[in-house]
Amino acid sequence: MREFELIEWIKNRQQTSHSLTLGIGDDCATFTATAGRKVLVTADMLLEGSCFILAEAGAYAVGRKAMAVNLSDIAAMAGIPKYAFVSYALPKIGGSATAQELQRGLEDAAQEFSVVIAGGDTNSWEGKLAISITMIGEASGKPPVQRSGARPGDGIFVTGPLGGSILGHHLTFTPKVALALTIHQKYDIHSMIDLSDGLSRDLKHIAKASGAGFVLEHDLIPVTSAAKELALQSGNSATYHALHDGEDFELCFTLSPKESVLLAQDTAFEVFRIGTITADCQYLIQQESQLKELATLAYEHKIT
Amino acid sequence: MREFELIEWIKNRQQTSHSLTLGIGDDCATFTATAGRKVLVTADMLLEGSCFILAEAGAYAVGRKAMAVNLSDIAAMAGIPKYAFVSYALPKIGGSATAQELQRGLEDAAQEFSVVIAGGDTNSWEGKLAISITMIGEASGKPPVQRSGARPGDGIFVTGPLGGSILGHHLTFTPKVALALTIHQKYDIHSMIDLSDGLSRDLKHIAKASGAGFVLEHDLIPVTSAAKELALQSGNSATYHALHDGEDFELCFTLSPKESVLLAQDTAFEVFRIGTITADCQYLIQQESQLKELATLAYEHKIT
C-alpha cells in the first residue's frame, strides 16, 4: 500500500469511528474544555525490542497497550480520559499489515474507554515500530489527585494483586479508570500513582512528593499467581516480585485513617490495604514483627 | 550515563527552566484552559534517516525543528502555543550526547515562543532517533482559523517565498506564529494552512475542505534563492520548486476580496497575493494568459 493510501485509510477509520472529533483535517484538533475543570495531559512511547517484541505480542496487543498505559496515567489522577493523539513510525517492510492490526488495537481500547482518537502523525521508516501517544483527559467534579497529598497516618491501598506482569498481564491489563473515579467520588483520595515501575519505586515517588515515609506490611501485599510462578524460577519470593516487578498498572493510593477503615470494610470495592504513611522519611517494610528498610532495585539500562 | 540519570537531568532542566509548569512529577501534567477559548492540539513525529540525517543536521537543529513544525501547525490556525509534550527514543550508543544537544534545541525553540515543555517520555533503544511532540495551544480572542473557510473570490496569500527548502531552510525556519496572530487580529482570515507538503498539495487541502477551487497566478508566486539554485540542478523552473517542494513552513491563507485589497496595500505586513479562490472545484494556474490544471506530484513512499 502506498503511504498516503495507508494514512488515508487510517484517517478515514478515525473519522468514521469517531464522528464527534472536531478539527480532523485541520492543522490542529480543537476542543472546548469543561469550565472549572483541569485539563490533564500524559504522554507515553512504546518501542519495539525495548518495550515489546512485536512477533511475540502481535501488533493488536501493542496498540491496545499503547493506549492502556496512557489511560492508566489518567486513572492515576482520577481523571476522565477524552482524546488520544497517536503518532507512529512504521517499518517499511510489513508496515501495512502491522498498521492495520495496531489500529484495531488502538481503536478497541479507545472505544472501551470512550476516548476519541483525535489526531496524530503516521510515518514509515527503515527502523522498527515506535508508537507515541499523548492522551488528554479532564478532572472529574473533584480536583485531580496528585502524588504529593499523602499525610502521616494515611492508609496505603493497591487496587489488585501485584508481580509477575511480564508473564502476560503487562499486555492485557485493564487500566483502572472507572475504579479510580468511583472511589474518588465516594472517598477523598489524598495521593495516587499507577504502578508502572514497581510498587517499591512508585510508592517512594508518593512519599518523596509528600515529604513523608511509609511502613508496608509484608504479609498484606497481594501477590498474583504469576508472581508465584516467577518466584519458582527466580528463587525470590512472590512478595519480592510484587514489590519490585514493573508494569502491574494497578493503582496505589492513600486515604485518611478514618476513610481507610471505611474503605477496607466497603464491599463495593475490592482493594487491598498494604501499609501506612509515616511522618519520618523512611521507607520501611514490616515482616514477622521486624522492621526493615525497603530496597529499590536500580535500573540496568545504560546510555553512552 | 545511566538512563535514569539522563532522565533526571532532562526533568531537572525542564523543571528549572519552566517553573510555571504544573503537574511535573505527577502522572499527568495539568492546566486550566482559558474560559471561552478553544484548546488546539497538534502532533508531529520526526524520524532519523527518513525526516533528517542526524550526522548532517546535528541534534540541536533536530530538536529545534521538532518543536518548530508543531509551532507551525498552531500558527496555521492563528493559535497561541502553550505546552509541548516531548517523547523521544534515543539510540543507546551516542544517545547521551544526542539527548543533551536535542534538549538544547527543544528548549531554545520553546523559550523563543514562550512554550512550556510540560511533560513527555524519554526512552532509549537499539534503534535510531525518533522524536514525537504533541503541542497544545489555545485560540486567540477570535475562533481558530480552519481550512474549510475559503469562499469564492477570496484572495490567496503566502507569508514568504517558497521552494528549495531542502537546501537548509527546512531546518532553520521560523514558524509564523506571531505573523498569523497579528494578521488575524487586524483582518478576518477565512482559511489557513501551513505549507509542509508543498503549495500545490496544501492549497488543495484548503480548496477541498472549503468545497471550492482556485486560480494561481504563476508570475506572482514568490520564489526563494534556494528554489532558483535547485532549478539549475533539476532542470525544472524555480516556480516549479515553489509549487511542489515540501517543508517551506510558510502559511497560506485566504481573505475576503475587500480585505485582500487592504492587506496587499498594508505596509505592516510583507505577504504575497498569489491567486484567487473560485466557485468551481478546479485547481488552476494561469501563466502567460493560459489557464492550466495544476498537477500534484504523488508521494513515492511505499509500505508493504
Side-chain angles (χ1 to χ4, degrees), chain A residues 25-27 134 147 194 303, chain B residues 1 25-27 134 147 194 303:
Chain A
D26 278 312
D27 289 83
T134 300
R147 294 180 184 174
D194 78 320
I303 306 179
Chain B
M1 204 185 298
D26 278 313
D27 289 84
T134 301
R147 295 180 184 173
D194 78 319
I303 305 178

Side-chain angles (χ1 to χ4, degrees), chain B residues 154-279:
Chain B
D154 276 10
I156 304 169
F157 290 82
V158 290
T159 53
L162 308 177
S165 180
I166 198 161
L167 296 185
H169 181 69
H170 76 107
L171 280 175
T172 58
F173 72 94
T174 298
K176 299 290 171 88
V177 174
L179 183 60
L181 281 167
T182 49
I183 294 175
H184 194 44
Q185 196 169 35
K186 193 161 176 184
Y187 299 95
D188 179 27
I189 301 178
H190 283 178
S191 68
M192 186 152 59
I193 194 168
D194 78 319
L195 298 177
S196 54
D197 294 341
L199 175 62
S200 60
R201 183 179 299 274
D202 287 323
L203 184 53
K204 286 179 189 176
H205 288 316
I206 282 188
K208 275 182 194 158
S210 305
F214 58 78
V215 179
L216 287 181
E217 301 288 336
H218 179 280
D219 297 348
L220 294 182
I221 296 167
V223 299
T224 59
S225 53
K228 291 176 196 164
E229 195 181 327
L230 217 53
L232 291 176
Q233 299 168 29
S234 71
N236 292 310
S237 70
T239 302
Y240 176 95
H241 286 284
L243 281 165
H244 303 300
D245 288 357
E247 306 226 319
D248 287 309
F249 296 110
E250 297 293 342
L251 300 172
C252 176
F253 62 94
T254 76
L255 285 187
S256 74
K258 196 173 156 187
E259 289 209 331
S260 292
V261 174
L262 293 174
L263 178 61
Q265 294 166 345
D266 190 333
T267 52
F269 302 106
E270 202 198 343
V271 292
F272 304 83
R273 176 158 183 182
I274 59 168
T276 305
I277 295 291
T278 56

Side-chain angles (χ1 to χ4, degrees), chain A residues 6-304:
Chain A
L6 181 66
I7 293 170
E8 286 307 307
W9 176 85
I10 291 168
K11 280 192 183 159
N12 286 338
R13 287 195 53 124
Q14 289 176 354
Q15 239 160 342
T16 315
S17 62
H18 304 298
S19 56
L20 283 174
T21 309
L22 297 168
I24 278 188
D26 278 312
D27 289 83
C28 302
T30 61
F31 70 92
T32 304
T34 306
R37 293 190 181 190
K38 287 266 190 191
V39 180
L40 312 180
V41 192
T42 183
D44 267 302
M45 189 178 224
L46 292 189
L47 302 172
E48 184 178 351
S50 153
C51 307
F52 60 88
I53 311 294
L54 186 56
E56 280 177 21
Y60 178 88
V62 170
R64 197 188 164 284
K65 178 176 179 175
M67 201 63 90
V69 296
N70 282 283
L71 286 161
S72 188
D73 282 327
I74 301 279
M77 298 189 81
I80 302 165
K82 303 285 278 183
Y83 310 102
F85 294 82
V86 182
S87 295
Y88 36 88
L90 293 166
K92 281 204 196 287
I93 294 167
S96 179
T98 300
Q100 293 177 50
E101 277 303 288
L102 193 67
Q103 189 62 27
R104 278 211 309 118
L106 290 163
E107 286 173 16
D108 283 359
Q111 197 175 15
E112 192 181 334
F113 291 88
S114 304
V115 164
V116 174
I117 300 176
D121 190 15
T122 308
N123 303 275
S124 68
W125 69 337
E126 302 296 339
K128 293 188 171 193
L129 179 63
I131 174 162
S132 169
I133 297 185
T134 300
M135 192 172 284
I136 295 182
E138 65 176 29
S140 65
K142 289 184 171 183
V145 180
Q146 296 184 277
R147 294 180 184 174
S148 55
R151 295 172 221 162
D154 276 9
I156 303 169
F157 291 82
V158 291
T159 54
L162 308 177
S165 180
I166 198 161
L167 296 185
H169 180 71
H170 75 107
L171 280 175
T172 59
F173 72 93
T174 299
K176 299 289 171 88
V177 175
L179 183 61
L181 282 167
T182 50
I183 295 175
H184 194 44
Q185 196 169 35
K186 193 161 174 183
Y187 299 95
D188 179 28
I189 302 179
H190 283 177
S191 67
M192 186 151 59
I193 194 168
D194 78 320
L195 297 177
S196 53
D197 293 341
L199 175 62
S200 59
R201 183 179 298 274
D202 287 323
L203 183 53
K204 286 180 189 175
H205 288 316
I206 283 189
K208 275 183 195 158
S210 305
F214 58 79
V215 179
L216 288 180
E217 301 289 335
H218 179 279
D219 297 347
L220 294 182
I221 296 168
V223 299
T224 59
S225 54
K228 291 175 195 165
E229 196 182 326
L230 216 54
L232 292 176
Q233 299 168 31
S234 70
N236 292 310
S237 70
T239 302
Y240 176 94
H241 286 284
L243 281 166
H244 302 299
D245 288 356
E247 304 226 320
D248 288 308
F249 296 110
E250 297 293 341
L251 300 172
C252 176
F253 63 94
T254 76
L255 286 187
S256 74
K258 196 174 157 187
E259 289 209 329
S260 292
V261 174
L262 294 174
L263 178 62
Q265 293 167 345
D266 191 334
T267 53
F269 302 106
E270 203 198 342
V271 293
F272 304 83
R273 176 156 185 184
I274 59 169
T276 304
I277 296 290
T278 56
D280 59 41
C281 293
Q282 292 191 80
Y283 312 137
L284 304 172
I285 184 160
Q286 171 149 322
Q287 187 178 8
E288 294 163 2
S289 59
Q290 272 206 313
L291 267 181
K292 281 189 261 182
E293 210 174 309
L294 180 65
T296 314
L297 304 185
Y299 277 112
E300 292 301 323
H301 303 300
K302 207 172 170 187
I303 306 179
T304 57

